[in-house]
Amino acid sequence: MQCSIRKFYYGDIPEEQGGGAAPSESMNEHGWPLWEVFIRSKQGLDHKHAGSLHAADARMAIENARDVYTRRQEGISIWVVESKNIHASDPGDAESLFEPAADKIYRHPTFYDLPDEVKHM
Amino acid sequence: MPVHHLEETFQQTVDAEIKIEAKDWMPEAYRKTNLRQISQHAHSEVVGMLPEGNWITRAPSLKRKAILIAKVQDEAGHGLYLYSAAETLGMSRDQMIADLHSGKAKYSSIFNYPTLTWADMGAIGWLVDGAAILNQVMLCRTSYGPYARAMVRICKEESFHQRQGFEALLVLSKGTQEQRAMCQDAINRWWWPSLMMFGPRDSESTNSDQSMKWKIKRKTNDELRQNFVDMIAQQVKLLGMTLPDPDLKWNEARGHYDFGEINWDEFWNVVKGNGPCNRQRLQARINAHEEGAWVREAAVAYAQKQSAKQKKVA
C-alpha cells in the first residue's frame, strides 16, 4: 500500500496541520523599498555585499544597516543601493559569458616555462 | 529546454554541492518549500523575542539586562536576515507578515510557552537555543545560497546565546536553596518542549524525502534530537541538576542516551494554536504591527518630502 505521509522539519510546519484563520487578503504594501547593503570590514578592503533590508530612504537604510549588519564591529563603512538599481547578468548566459575564459591558460604566469636562472619574474 | 531536463540539471547541481542562487531555475516545489521554511524560521526569530522581552525590565542586574537586550536584538536581526533571504524567492515582506498574523504561517511552537521565572532565561538560552543551533549548524550547508549565507551569519552570533544561558543557570545552581530550586524547575518545564522543537519522528515519513534529496535538510529530526539529548545529558551534570525523564539512560550498545517518549498530543495541540501562549504571542505581534503603522507611514512621507526638496534645489 502506498503511504503518503509527508515529513517535515523543525521550523517547517505544513500549512494544513496548523490552526488559525484562512489566508488573509494581501496587506497594503508599506512602500519601503528594498536596499542592498555593502560593508567595508576594515580600511584597505573592498566593500562586500552583506545582505538587504527595507528602509524609507537612504539615510534610514544606512542607519538600519548599522543595526542589522554591524552589531559586532563587522564594518567601518556602509554603502546602500536601492535593489532596483542593481543590474545583474542572467544565470542562463553564464556559459556564453564566462566559458571563453576557460581555455586561455596562457593568461596565467604559470603557463610559461622559464630557466631557473631567471629567478623572480 | 523541457522541464524534466531542467529538473535533472538542477538535481545534478545540488548533488555536486553547488549552491542554488535566487535567479537560477528551480522546481516550483523547491521554491515553495524553501519559502515556507525560511519565512517560518524568520517568524520564529521574531516571535522568539517575546518570551525573553518579558524579562528585560526584571533582569536581576544591569549586566544581565545588557546581555538580554543584546540577545533579543540579535533575534530581531536574525529575523531580518531570514526575511531578506525569503524575499529572494518572490514573496513580499508584507505578505509574509500578513501570513503570520492570519495564522497561515507557523513559527516554532516553543515560543508558545510562558517564561515564569528568571531561570527561564537561562533555560531558554541553554536548551532552546541549544536545540536551535544544532538545526542551524546543519542549515549552514543547505542548498539554497541566500538561506545558507543567512545561517552562517546567524550561527556566528548564536553561540553567545547558548553560553550566556548556561552561565546564568550555573550561577543559580551555586546559589541558595531557592535559586537551585528555581533552576531545576525551569529545566523541568523547558526540557520536553525543547525536544519537541525537532519535530515529529522520522517513522512518520515516507522513505524518499524530497527535502533531503534537495539538500535543504541534511539530517533527520531524530538524528538531530539524539545529538541534542547526548549533549545536554552530559552538560546537565555540570549544573548538578537533573533532566525530568526517568527513562534517560546511557546505552552502551548504541553509543547514545536512550530517552522517554515525547507527548505528541501536546506537540500537535500547541502547533494547532492551543498552547499556553499562542493567542497572546500572535496578538502581541499584531499590536506591534498595527501600532507601528503610523511610524512607517511617517517615514515614507518624510522621505518623499526630502526627495521633493532635493529636486527643487537641483
Side-chain angles (χ1 to χ4, degrees):
Chain A
M1 195 184 74
Q2 189 74 22
C3 181
S4 61
I5 303 171
R6 236 170 22 77
K7 182 176 188 176
F8 32 84
Y9 296 97
Y10 167 74
D12 182 24
I13 306 293
E15 281 153 20
E16 67 274 15
Q17 293 276 6
S24 72
E25 64 279 15
S26 144
M27 222 181 253
N28 285 332
E29 295 284 323
H30 58 44
W32 286 12
L34 190 66
W35 301 76
E36 299 302 320
V37 178
F38 300 81
I39 309 256
R40 185 202 293 284
S41 58
K42 67 179 206 190
Q43 206 76 4
L45 295 182
D46 293 323
H47 285 78
K48 196 176 156 212
H49 187 239
S52 53
L53 49 76
H54 287 273
D57 57 23
R59 201 172 107 186
M60 187 195 249
I62 289 174
E63 286 167 358
N64 287 359
R66 197 276 309 252
D67 290 341
V68 178
Y69 292 107
T70 65
R71 287 193 302 283
R72 288 177 176 76
Q73 298 180 292
E74 288 93 339
I76 52 144
S77 164
I78 298 172
W79 286 353
V80 293
V81 183
E82 242 191 280
S83 308
K84 67 175 187 198
N85 294 325
I86 301 250
H87 300 268
S89 63
D90 182 342
D93 295 340
E95 208 167 304
S96 62
L97 281 176
F98 306 115
E99 197 84 317
D103 60 356
K104 296 181 176 56
I105 45 171
Y106 46 82
R107 283 187 170 144
H108 298 277
T110 45
F111 179 72
Y112 303 92
D113 269 334
L114 300 185
D116 290 345
E117 289 76 23
V118 175
K119 289 189 176 141
H120 305 295
M121 185 184 279
Chain B
M1 211 190 288
V3 167
H4 68 275
H5 275 170
L6 287 170
E7 278 177 1
E8 244 169 58
T9 313
F10 175 85
Q11 190 61 50
Q12 282 163 5
T13 308
V14 169
D15 290 342
E17 299 288 342
I18 296 170
K19 298 284 185 222
I20 305 302
E21 294 296 343
K23 291 193 166 186
D24 295 343
W25 185 90
M26 61 185 84
E28 186 56 17
Y30 178 85
R31 191 184 71 83
K32 280 194 170 153
T33 304
N34 264 299
L35 187 54
R36 187 179 60 238
Q37 193 177 316
I38 302 170
S39 65
Q40 288 184 166
H41 198 158
H43 297 325
S44 300
E45 295 284 352
V46 169
V47 177
M49 290 191 280
L50 297 170
E52 290 175 299
N54 186 37
W55 280 89
I56 288 176
T57 55
R58 291 169 239 182
S61 69
L62 190 58
K63 178 183 108 177
R64 293 291 173 191
K65 185 184 289 211
I67 291 170
L68 194 55
I69 289 173
K71 180 174 190 291
V72 170
Q73 197 191 12
D74 274 354
E75 275 145 18
H78 297 175
L80 291 173
Y81 304 154
L82 289 163
Y83 280 130
S84 296
E87 275 177 279
T88 63
L89 291 163
M91 185 186 272
S92 75
R93 180 82 55 100
D94 289 308
Q95 186 58 51
M96 282 184 250
I97 290 171
D99 286 349
L100 171 67
H101 293 175
S102 73
K104 181 176 179 238
K106 297 290 136 195
Y107 54 88
S108 181
S109 279
I110 192 79
F111 303 117
N112 290 317
Y113 289 86
T115 45
L116 304 178
T117 71
W118 168 253
D120 288 15
M121 296 305 96
I124 286 180
W126 176 42
L127 297 175
V128 176
D129 290 305
I133 288 170
L134 284 176
N135 185 56
Q136 288 166 339
V137 166
M138 168 192 74
L139 286 171
C140 288
R141 298 193 299 126
T142 194
S143 59
Y144 186 55
Y147 194 21
R149 290 193 287 276
M151 291 318 308
V152 168
R153 201 178 290 278
I154 288 172
C155 282
K156 274 186 196 159
E157 301 181 349
E158 197 79 40
S159 161
F160 128 67
H161 295 185
Q162 195 187 13
R163 290 174 71 101
Q164 67 82 34
F166 188 79
E167 193 236 19
L169 291 185
L170 197 60
V171 170
L172 288 177
S173 75
K174 291 174 180 159
T176 64
Q177 191 64 39
E178 284 94 340
Q179 285 169 324
R180 291 182 50 78
M182 196 201 271
C183 181
Q184 183 64 60
D185 167 65
I187 294 169
N188 291 349
R189 281 182 292 107
W190 289 96
W191 172 246
W192 290 106
S194 299
L195 288 189
M196 293 177 199
M197 284 175 71
F198 297 98
R201 274 181 305 199
D202 294 347
S203 54
E204 287 185 40
S205 72
T206 48
N207 293 331
S208 71
D209 187 342
Q210 198 59 57
S211 278
M212 295 287 265
K213 198 174 157 220
W214 280 335
K215 299 190 194 285
I216 297 173
K217 289 293 216 168
R218 289 165 181 271
K219 284 184 174 184
T220 70
N221 296 357
D222 285 341
E223 280 175 73
L224 287 169
R225 186 161 24 233
Q226 183 70 60
N227 291 350
F228 179 70
V229 171
D230 291 345
M231 177 175 81
I232 300 297
Q234 288 295 328
Q235 292 170 355
V236 74
K237 293 177 189 166
L238 299 169
L239 294 174
M241 299 282 149
T242 56
L243 297 173
D245 179 358
D247 296 325
L248 185 79
K249 207 171 77 222
W250 176 252
N251 183 327
E252 192 66 48
R254 287 202 312 129
H256 291 291
Y257 278 89
D258 290 335
F259 55 98
E261 189 58 45
I262 288 167
N263 181 347
W264 293 110
D265 290 340
E266 177 184 329
F267 172 78
W268 286 115
N269 205 29
V270 182
V271 169
K272 284 178 178 144
N274 303 316
C277 300
N278 292 58
R279 280 170 202 82
Q280 191 188 332
R281 299 292 187 233
L282 208 50
Q283 198 56 51
R285 287 312 314 153
I286 292 170
N287 290 350
H289 192 71
E290 286 175 355
E291 286 162 18
W294 71 271
V295 179
R296 295 191 294 277
E297 284 162 22
V300 171
Y302 179 77
Q304 281 166 351
K305 221 168 151 184
Q306 290 301 104
S307 141
K309 234 190 225 167
Q310 271 179 0
K311 271 184 198 140
K312 229 176 177 177
V313 174

